[in-house]
Amino acid sequence: MSEKKQPGVWEGFKAFLMRGNVIDLAVAVVIGAAFTNIVNSVVKGIINPLVGAIGTQNLDSYSSCLKGPCTGTGATATGIRMMWGSVLGATLSFVITAAVVYFLMVLPMSKFLARQAARQKAKEGTQEIIEVSELEVLKEIRDALLAQRGSGNSQN
């Protein structure tokens, strides 16, 4: 009996890398990292100055004192502070990212896929109509031939 050779580690690794979903995932990570820079720039360049018109441009400095007295900053800070400004900044970044992804990627792609599905459905519907009409024509020909044969038999 001959033994089947098990694929080596290198062949398995190559097969893993060549699968389409691994490449797609790698592209998504790279695009996501580049997209993060764009979102951060929008937040720092547009959102923070708009917020700065009301208060400070640095959202991280917004806080509330839970247990006082809250004095000082950094290592010399006293009291218990709730740093809600950083949460607000992260939330704004998330909402902006989600909006850009939805309006620039998800919505156009879903509209494209819906149009493509409608075209495919219309094409399939046309083929069904053609097939039904061909069947009807064949039935009519059959009925006409039977009628001719029946009328030919009655004349004899």
Side-chain angles (χ1 to χ4, degrees):
M1 279 195 270
S2 65
E3 291 183 27
K4 285 187 176 180
K5 186 178 179 183
Q6 294 288 338
V9 174
W10 181 248
E11 287 83 19
F13 183 66
K14 269 184 19 181
F16 170 74
L17 288 179
M18 291 302 144
R19 286 195 304 203
N21 55 359
V22 173
I23 303 299
D24 292 342
L25 182 60
V27 168
V29 168
V30 170
I31 295 295
F35 189 68
T36 300
N37 290 333
I38 294 171
V39 171
N40 288 337
S41 296
V42 168
V43 169
K44 288 179 184 174
I46 297 173
I47 302 298
N48 285 351
L50 289 175
V51 173
I54 300 169
T56 179
Q57 285 191 9
N58 186 4
L59 293 176
D60 293 338
S61 65
Y62 286 112
S63 64
S64 297
C65 187
L66 291 178
K67 185 173 181 183
C70 291
T71 58
T73 58
T76 63
T78 61
I80 299 174
R81 292 181 191 241
M82 184 170 57
M83 305 299 288
W84 59 270
S86 60
V87 174
L88 179 63
T91 303
L92 286 173
S93 293
F94 172 76
V95 169
I96 291 169
T97 304
V100 169
V101 166
Y102 180 75
F103 289 112
L104 294 182
M105 295 177 192
V106 173
L107 190 62
M109 183 58 82
S110 64
K111 286 183 179 182
F112 171 74
L113 292 175
R115 281 193 304 252
Q116 197 173 25
R119 282 189 208 129
Q120 184 66 25
K121 189 174 182 181
K123 185 178 177 182
E124 289 173 359
T126 304
Q127 285 179 336
E128 288 177 12
I129 291 171
I130 291 172
E131 289 174 5
V132 168
S133 62
E134 286 178 2
L135 183 61
E136 289 176 2
V137 169
L138 290 173
K139 284 181 180 178
E140 289 175 7
I141 292 171
R142 180 199 65 197
D143 292 344
L145 289 172
L146 288 174
Q148 282 179 353
R149 192 181 309 161
S151 64
N153 288 340
S154 61
Q155 290 178 352
N156 288 338

